[in-house]
């Protein structure tokens, strides 16, 4: 194949990449450059470079995504939300990407005792992807977040 | 015949008494200038920009080279390396460039993203294909390379979708190809 060409907000193939840890990699991110690339090829097109998304179609990550970790069911939601669960990435790359996105777009709301997602956990969660109910569940979880506040 | 001569003389004398020589030159000049301007009207350009004319460049756009050997190729041609995964019309042929929309046309912030190999250094670069929206689509420099395109059952990975989201107009005009970075090399 002449290149790794991929189209769209999501991509279809997983490049095999060097495993050198980046110096500023957060917990659960082996290679921040790889995580950035997977974000760019799989998520950025719709979520926009700053993670703010579009109100009607693509929920914002910026300043929001880590709040799901505050309430029961939120962690599971992050592994089952369609954009994550149906991603073409392998479990390990996907777990690293989710950990990186939490840190990149909403580190201020990450619980101090946050255990990073693992490939095993993501692999288990993505077997039950959310579909049309995703937006309803998201709204319910954010309501709980509003009520509970930070842990 | 005499009656005809008399009638003609009467008409001409009447015309001459109502008009000056200067006004005649003015009207004739207007016709001449109008005829010269006709090919410049957008209607005429549209007719020349027939997408089915064979050459996607239609012979209307001058070549656009970067002048940098690390970024080789004519950006008005479909075989330029950054266009490996494009499906649309090249903004380079619309008064824009490979990096910018034509004047008065808005670039969509929602994009599809792929990678293309640069023939100069044989490295893969991450390319963002941003649609430019709100202008007239002549179909000029149509280009379909579709490397990595996926069926429309995965709409987020299908480049036939018009990505005019987040713009004032959803009317597609053309597409640019921006470099976002160098992709991490694969291990064989």
């Amino acid at each position: 194949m002449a290149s790794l060409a991929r189209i769209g907000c999501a991509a279809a193939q997983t490049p095999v990449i060097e495993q050198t840890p980046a110096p500023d990699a957060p917990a659960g991110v082996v290679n921040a450059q790889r995580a950035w690339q997977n974000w760019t090829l799989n998520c950025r097109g719709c979520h926009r470079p700053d993670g703010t998304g579009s109100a009607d179609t693509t929920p914002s990550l910026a300043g929001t995504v880590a709040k799901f970790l505050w309430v029961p069911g939120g962690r599971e939601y992050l592994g089952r939300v369609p954009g994550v669960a149906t991603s073409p990435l392998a479990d390990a790359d996907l777990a690293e990407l989710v950990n990186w996105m939490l840190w990149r777009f909403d580190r201020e709301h990450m619980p101090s005792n946050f255990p990073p997602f693992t490939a095993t956990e993501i692999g288990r969660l993505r077997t039950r992807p959310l579909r049309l109910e995703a937006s309803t569940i998201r709204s319910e979880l954010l309501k709980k977040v509003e009520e509970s506040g930070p842990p | 015949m005499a009656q005809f001569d008399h009638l003609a003389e009467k008409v001409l004398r009447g015309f001459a008494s109502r008009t000056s020589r200067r006004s005649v030159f003015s009207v004739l000049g207007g016709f001449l200038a109008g005829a010269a301007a006709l090919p410049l009207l957008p209607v005429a350009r549209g007719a020349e920009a027939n997408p089915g004319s064979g050459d996607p460049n239609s012979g209307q756009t001058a070549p656009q080279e970067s002048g940098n050997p690390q970024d080789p190729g004519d950006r008005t041609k479909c075989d330029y390396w950054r266009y490996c995964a494009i499906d649309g019309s090249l903004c380079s042929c619309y008064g824009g460039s490979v990096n910018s929309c034509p004047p008065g046309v808005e670039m969509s912030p929602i994009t599809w993203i792929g990678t293309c190999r640069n023939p100069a250094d044989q490295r893969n670069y991450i390319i963002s294909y941003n649609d430019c929206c709100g202008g007239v689509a002549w179909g000029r420099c149509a280009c379909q390379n579709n490397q990595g395109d996926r069926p429309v059952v995965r709409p987020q990975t299908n480049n036939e979708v018009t990505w005019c989201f987040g713009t004032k107009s959803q009317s597609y005009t053309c597409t640019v190809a921006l470099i976002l970075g160098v992709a991490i090399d694969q291990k064989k």
Side-chain angles (χ1 to χ4, degrees):
Chain A
M1 195 169 86
S3 82
L4 304 170
R6 310 163 194 203
I7 313 291
C9 306
Q13 295 152 349
T14 306
V16 180
I17 301 165
E18 297 174 27
Q19 300 291 319
T20 309
D24 60 344
V29 177
V30 177
N31 185 331
Q33 189 179 359
R34 175 177 58 195
W36 172 85
Q37 176 163 304
N38 283 331
W39 148 261
T40 301
L41 291 172
N42 292 276
C43 320
R44 168 179 161 150
C46 292
H47 279 286
R48 306 196 188 206
D50 61 359
T52 53
S54 302
D56 294 336
T57 57
T58 315
S60 173
L61 302 171
T64 302
V65 65
K67 291 181 179 176
F68 289 102
L69 300 169
W70 295 0
V71 294
R75 186 178 177 99
E76 289 72 20
Y77 170 80
L78 293 179
R80 297 178 61 201
V81 71
V84 171
T86 64
S87 160
L89 293 171
D91 292 347
D93 287 339
L94 188 57
E96 179 182 68
L97 175 56
V98 174
N99 291 328
W100 182 86
M101 285 194 294
L102 287 162
W103 171 81
R104 167 64 181 82
F105 294 108
D106 200 20
R107 73 187 77 171
E108 65 184 282
H109 293 132
M110 289 179 70
S112 57
N113 61 347
F114 164 70
F117 283 97
T118 64
T120 304
E121 182 182 12
I122 283 290
R124 176 175 53 81
L125 292 172
R126 72 190 302 191
T127 59
R128 295 183 300 125
L130 298 173
R131 299 294 185 188
L132 295 177
E133 69 275 25
S135 61
T136 304
I137 292 176
R138 175 185 173 83
S139 299
E140 292 171 355
L141 289 170
L142 287 177
K143 189 177 177 185
K144 290 179 185 174
V145 166
E146 288 289 322
E147 293 167 354
S148 71
Chain B
M1 195 65 184
Q3 284 180 334
F4 180 78
D5 289 343
H6 180 69
L7 179 64
E9 181 184 354
K10 189 176 178 182
V11 169
L12 288 173
R13 285 187 183 280
F15 178 73
S17 66
R18 290 193 306 271
T19 58
S20 67
R21 279 173 291 182
R22 188 170 293 176
S23 72
V24 170
F25 285 127
S26 168
V27 171
L28 282 175
F31 277 115
L32 289 172
L38 273 178
L40 302 177
L41 293 176
V43 175
R45 288 188 184 184
E48 290 171 9
N50 179 5
S53 61
D55 177 8
N57 197 21
S58 300
Q60 296 190 44
T61 306
Q64 294 179 19
E65 308 266 356
S66 69
N68 179 353
Q70 293 302 310
D71 188 2
D74 180 356
R75 293 155 173 202
T76 67
K77 298 293 186 187
C78 194
D79 61 0
Y80 174 58
W81 69 274
R82 282 197 225 173
Y83 298 145
C84 77
I86 201 170
D87 182 339
S89 294
L90 309 180
C91 285
S92 303
C93 301
Y94 280 77
S97 72
V98 70
N99 296 316
S100 63
C101 294
V105 178
E106 186 181 6
M107 188 182 291
S108 171
I110 311 298
T111 70
W112 80 89
I113 298 173
T115 63
C116 294
R117 186 180 291 271
N118 184 341
D121 60 8
Q122 298 300 315
R123 300 184 74 180
N124 292 311
Y125 286 75
I126 301 174
I127 308 294
S128 176
Y129 297 100
N130 295 55
D131 283 348
C132 295
C133 315
V136 177
W138 297 117
R140 189 179 303 154
C141 294
C143 181
Q144 277 198 329
N145 284 326
N146 299 338
Q147 206 169 101
D149 188 23
R150 294 292 177 268
V152 76
V153 292
R154 291 183 67 88
Q156 71 273 32
T157 58
N158 181 271
N159 69 358
E160 290 180 23
V161 174
T162 295
W163 291 87
C164 284
F165 303 124
T167 50
K168 292 175 186 170
S169 170
Q170 275 72 56
S171 172
Y172 172 81
T173 303
C174 58
T175 304
V176 298
L178 313 175
I179 295 178
L180 298 183
V182 181
I184 302 170
D185 288 337
Q186 295 184 92
K187 279 186 175 176
K188 299 295 182 185

